[in-house]
């Protein structure tokens, strides 16, 4: 950087304005190439006169550049173009770099000017934020982030938006504690909306879908503890403005991508001291809006409010009445089940879980695990509901095969669990030793058919490797009989076993190696 400053912020703005008016993008791009390739061989700055002389090389030819900072239009070059050429552009960039200004802004002069204008406008706008509505906040955020362009890496775009909003913290804004919460909440909602809109325009891939769901999860994890810190301080006005924002977003939401619906229900569930009158007012607002909108997300939001208001039958009827209900994703039901959990209305939860059963047919195990989680909550309070759970899971076979198997084990229904292992062709070697230990301790007799069948299987394979496996199982079987305190049954079985397979020399040798035969 030159020790002689010939540029200040005001001069810099004027230089950007001149470049934006006088240079094409192609010329600036070529000039930037010359600058990056260090083709500006020399530069002399006459600080008092505010004039600059530079030498720029191109294909061995040296072009003389003269810059007059007092009268930029008078700047010239010895090349055939003479003015507004790539050589002068390169010299501008070299001068900017030496004076401590970003040379890249010369190449992107128009964008840099817009950013500067936005920043100066934003400074005055920041003081007005506390008096703005939520709608005004979103208009401000749109303007504040307009220069950030989406790209293929959506998470990178999210981080750019977050970084831009982090800059707001450098300027004190006289928000109340409640407004501070709502303003940060709407920054997060703004980012979610931007990603949802980008997906709608460009189509959804695995990576873009993952970004949206990650944002929703983050939002829902952030809401509850953050609202609780408000110590009951709520703003009826901000609440109404926020729910109005949600209704607008839900009115255009895809029936299978209920992102704003999920955050809306988490917001309601977490909001402290939500009064009956507020819920009733929201129901009216949803009913009025849905008369003109056919959005399933709006319908689901209204149904959730009915459930919060204690109108349980109407809640389900509202959902079921919508044409898109049969194709609804399973994530739709979680807020409703959480509300019933919060109210400890277990009988109603049984009804909902039974009605929901068909929606989980053919779904991923992760989704069905959530379904089973709520069944477990019910059974912990109403053990008699266990039969309903098994009926639901059986209706979802074969998808729920593994889940039923795990539940049998978890609930120590050993006989049914072992029958499922045998039906699938498994043997004791399928499991780690600790898996069978509790069965051996509590109901060792149930392991007998499992071990006996496996021993027979390995003997039929008739090779030494499998004979060794059969011997290992026989030793474990002997332990089971001893655990049952029935050694005589073991002796009787083993005597018959040795007699049956006395002609299999390799097996007899392995039995001796295993010290089962002398």
């Amino acid at each position: 950087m030159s020790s002689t400053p010939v540029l200040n912020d005001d001069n810099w703005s004027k230089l950007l304005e001149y470049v934006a008016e006088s240079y094409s993008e192609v010329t600036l791009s070529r000039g930037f190439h010359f600058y990056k390739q260090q083709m500006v061989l020399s530069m002399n700055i006459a600080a008092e006169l505010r004039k600059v002389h530079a030498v720029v090389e191109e294909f061995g030819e040296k072009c003389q550049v003269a810059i007059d900072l007092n009268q930029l239009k008078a700047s010239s070059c010895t090349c055939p173009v003479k003015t507004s050429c790539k050589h002068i552009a390169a010299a501008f960039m070299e001068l900017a770099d030496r004076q401590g200004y970003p040379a890249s802004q010369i190449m992107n002069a128009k964008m840099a000017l817009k950013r500067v204008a936005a920043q100066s406008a934003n400074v005055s706008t920041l003081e007005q934020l506390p008096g703005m509505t939520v709608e005004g906040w979103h208009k401000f955020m749109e303007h504040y982030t307009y220069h950030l362009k989406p790209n293929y890496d959506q998470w990178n775009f999210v981080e750019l938006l977050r970084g831009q909003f982090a800059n707001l913290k450098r300027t004190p804004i006289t928000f109340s504690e409640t407004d501070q919460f709502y303003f940060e909440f709407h920054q997060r909602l703004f980012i979610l909306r931007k990603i949802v809109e980008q997906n709608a325009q460009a189509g959804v891939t695995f990576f873009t879908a993952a970004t949206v769901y990650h944002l929703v999860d983050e939002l829902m994890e952030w809401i509850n503890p953050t609202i609780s810190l408000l110590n009951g301080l709520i703003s009826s006005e901000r609440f109404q403005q926020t729910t109005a924002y949600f209704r607008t977003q839900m009115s255009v939401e895809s029936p299978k991508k209920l992102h704003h619906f999920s955050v809306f229900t988490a917001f309601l569930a977490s909001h402290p001291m939500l009064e009956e009158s507020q819920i009733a007012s929201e129901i009216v607002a949803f009913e009025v809006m849905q008369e003109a909108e056919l959005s399933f997300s709006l319908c689901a939001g209204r149904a959730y409010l009915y459930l919060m208001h204690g109108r349980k039958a109407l809640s389900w009827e509202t959902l079921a009445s919508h044409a898109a209900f049969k194709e609804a994703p399973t994530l739709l039901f979680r807020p409703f089940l959480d509300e019933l959990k919060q109210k400890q209305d277990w009988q109603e939860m049984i009804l909902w879980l039974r009605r929901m059963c068909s929606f989980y047919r053919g779904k991923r195990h992760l989704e069905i695990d959530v379904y089973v989680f709520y069944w477990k909550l019910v059974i912990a309070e109403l053990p008699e509901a266990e039969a309903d759970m098994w009926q639901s899971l059986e209706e979802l076979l074969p998808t729920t095969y593994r889940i039923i198997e795990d539940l049998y084990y978890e609930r120590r229904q050993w006989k049914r669990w072992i029958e499922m292992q045998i039906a699938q062709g498994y043997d004791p070697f399928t499991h780690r030793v600790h898996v069978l230990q509790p069965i051996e301790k509590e109901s060792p007799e149930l392991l007998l058919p499992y071990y006996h069948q496996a021993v027979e299987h390995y003997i039929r394979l008739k090779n030494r490797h499998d004979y060794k496996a059969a011997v290992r199982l026989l030793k474990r079987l002997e332990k089971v009989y001893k655990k049952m305190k029935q050694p005589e049954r073991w002796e009787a079985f083993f005597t018959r076993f040795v007699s049956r397979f006395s002609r299999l020399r390799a097996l007899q040798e392995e039995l001796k190696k295993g010290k089962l035969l002398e």
Side-chain angles (χ1 to χ4, degrees), residues 303-411:
Y304 181 76
L305 286 163
Y306 285 146
L307 189 62
M308 290 188 78
H309 208 233
R311 296 149 76 176
K312 296 177 284 190
L314 183 57
S315 177
W316 180 267
E317 289 171 9
T318 301
L319 283 176
S321 66
H322 199 281
F325 177 62
K326 292 182 179 180
E327 303 298 323
T330 58
L331 64 84
L332 163 72
F333 299 109
R334 291 196 66 173
F336 295 91
L337 295 174
D338 285 336
E339 178 65 17
L340 292 171
K341 172 189 170 185
Q342 193 274 329
K343 292 180 182 295
Q344 297 189 351
D345 193 343
W346 308 114
Q347 289 291 353
E348 185 68 19
M349 188 180 287
I350 293 172
L351 291 176
W352 278 71
L353 288 169
R354 289 294 293 133
R355 290 165 177 162
M356 291 158 44
C357 179
S358 61
F359 287 86
Y360 289 86
R361 186 166 289 114
K363 299 298 183 183
R364 299 173 303 167
H365 283 164
L366 287 176
E367 294 180 72
I368 300 177
D369 285 342
V370 173
Y371 182 62
V372 172
F373 166 78
Y374 288 102
W375 270 118
K376 289 179 180 178
L377 289 178
V378 171
I379 292 169
E381 302 294 330
L382 301 175
E384 62 271 23
E386 185 169 345
D388 290 304
M389 179 188 73
W390 291 120
Q391 183 179 348
S392 297
L393 295 179
E394 287 170 6
E395 288 174 9
L396 295 175
L397 284 169
T399 308
T400 53
Y401 202 96
R402 178 193 63 80
I403 291 171
I404 291 174
E405 180 183 337
D406 290 345
L407 278 171
Y408 281 151
Y409 188 89
E410 182 183 313
R411 306 181 77 79

Side-chain angles (χ1 to χ4, degrees), residues 103-260:
S104 59
Q105 287 192 12
I106 297 287
M107 188 179 75
N108 299 291
K110 291 181 181 178
M111 182 61 70
L113 282 173
K114 289 181 181 179
R115 191 177 297 121
V116 170
Q119 288 172 349
S120 60
N122 288 333
V123 170
S124 60
T125 305
L126 292 180
E127 300 174 359
Q128 303 171 23
L129 286 173
M132 287 184 183
T133 63
V134 161
E135 184 180 2
W137 285 350
H138 279 268
K139 288 180 180 178
F140 162 79
M141 287 185 276
E142 196 74 54
H143 184 67
Y144 189 68
T145 61
Y146 81 98
H147 60 281
L148 302 176
K149 302 302 179 186
N151 52 48
Y152 179 77
D153 185 347
Q154 286 197 324
W155 197 251
N156 177 257
F157 183 48
V158 169
E159 291 300 327
L160 287 174
L161 290 169
R162 286 177 174 173
Q164 182 72 355
F165 287 137
N167 293 331
L168 292 172
K169 296 179 180 179
R170 298 176 185 174
T171 305
I173 305 174
T174 55
F175 278 131
S176 66
E177 185 180 1
T178 304
D179 273 5
Q180 183 63 52
F181 159 76
Y182 275 104
F183 187 63
E184 184 172 352
F185 184 34
H186 279 277
Q187 288 177 36
R188 293 169 179 266
L189 290 175
F190 177 83
I191 294 174
L192 174 63
R193 177 170 64 83
K194 282 294 184 182
I195 299 301
V196 169
E197 288 175 350
Q198 185 184 354
N199 288 353
Q201 294 169 2
V204 180
T205 66
F206 170 80
F207 298 102
T208 56
T211 301
V212 174
Y213 285 107
H214 187 66
L215 282 175
V216 171
D217 289 343
E218 278 191 351
L219 251 170
M220 295 172 71
E221 289 175 7
W222 175 85
I223 290 172
N224 189 36
T226 310
I227 288 185
S228 64
L229 294 176
L230 296 177
N231 299 318
L233 296 174
I234 61 173
S235 167
S236 176
E237 186 179 6
R238 291 296 186 205
F239 174 81
Q240 291 172 1
Q241 292 171 3
T242 299
T243 55
Y245 171 83
F246 273 117
R247 287 195 298 274
T248 300
Q249 299 308 314
M250 291 160 67
S251 69
V252 294
E253 192 157 58
S254 165
K256 295 187 178 182
K257 308 293 180 185
L258 304 175
H259 306 304
H260 284 92

